[in-house]
Amino acid sequence: MDWLQIGLRIIHIGSGILWVGGAALFSLYIEPTLKALGPDAEKVINELVEVRKVPIFFATTSTLAVLGGVLLYWRDSNGLQLSWITSPSGLAFTIGGLFAIAAWLGGNVFTRPAGEKGGAIGAEMKAGGGPPGAELIGRMDAAQERLRTIGRITLALLAVSVIAMASARFLY
């Protein structure tokens, strides 16, 4: 029995479930709800980001899923043996892994600056005292749309990754 392999699979699959499920929940339900709430969403966003630390949750689960996957890939490919990588299973794992890494980059490299930009615009709106002007509203709409786009792309990348990895072991 290979306890390391079992442990890596538990970390990889468990973290992946949390990452993909969280991304789906956020993109399909929470984000549209926040958009519908408009200015009232500020309290919810603050709770999610500052109190519940959702960005840390996604950074942790996505990183564990990717690192676990990289180690499993290394082990399964016997140190990146081309014969395994070019097999049907190896190609499916390669595609799944590349899509997951792209999703990780999107979520961890692009989301944070976009979220911080939206937060800065929100602070600017709040500091203004009165209702925000058209320019600030336009900037906030653009920042929110960028976050939505990143979320949708990340979710699509994760969907391809899950399909590729779920079917890989059954390809010959």
Side-chain angles (χ1 to χ4, degrees):
M1 192 171 312
D2 188 348
W3 289 105
L4 179 58
Q5 187 82 354
I6 292 168
L8 288 172
R9 285 181 56 84
I10 290 169
I11 290 168
H12 175 64
I13 295 169
S15 297
I17 289 167
L18 292 172
W19 179 23
V20 175
L25 179 68
F26 204 89
S27 289
L28 300 175
Y29 294 97
I30 295 173
E31 189 281 323
T33 301
L34 295 173
K35 183 178 179 184
L37 289 172
D40 293 333
E42 180 184 356
K43 290 179 183 176
V44 177
I45 293 168
N46 186 59
E47 179 73 18
L48 290 169
V49 174
E50 300 299 327
V51 178
R52 304 286 171 190
K53 308 292 187 196
V54 168
I56 293 171
F57 167 83
F58 279 114
T60 302
T61 57
S62 64
T63 300
L64 286 172
V66 168
L67 287 177
V70 166
L71 293 171
L72 287 167
Y73 188 88
W74 178 266
R75 288 173 58 92
D76 286 349
S77 70
N78 198 21
L80 304 179
Q81 294 296 312
L82 194 57
S83 60
W84 181 87
I85 293 170
T86 58
S87 71
S89 289
L91 287 172
F93 279 121
T94 301
I95 291 166
L98 290 173
F99 274 74
I101 290 168
W104 181 88
L105 286 169
N108 289 293
V109 174
F110 300 118
T111 301
R112 179 180 214 128
E116 288 173 353
K117 184 175 184 179
I121 295 167
E124 198 176 329
M125 288 175 151
K126 199 172 186 177
E135 185 266 337
L136 267 179
I137 291 172
R139 285 177 38 215
M140 179 58 90
D141 287 345
Q144 290 172 339
E145 185 57 35
R146 178 160 171 76
L147 278 168
R148 270 191 289 284
T149 300
I150 293 167
R152 288 180 190 136
I153 292 169
T154 299
L155 189 57
L157 291 167
L158 288 172
V160 172
S161 180
V162 166
I163 291 167
M165 290 187 198
S167 60
R169 294 218 182 267
F170 304 102
L171 302 174
Y172 302 101

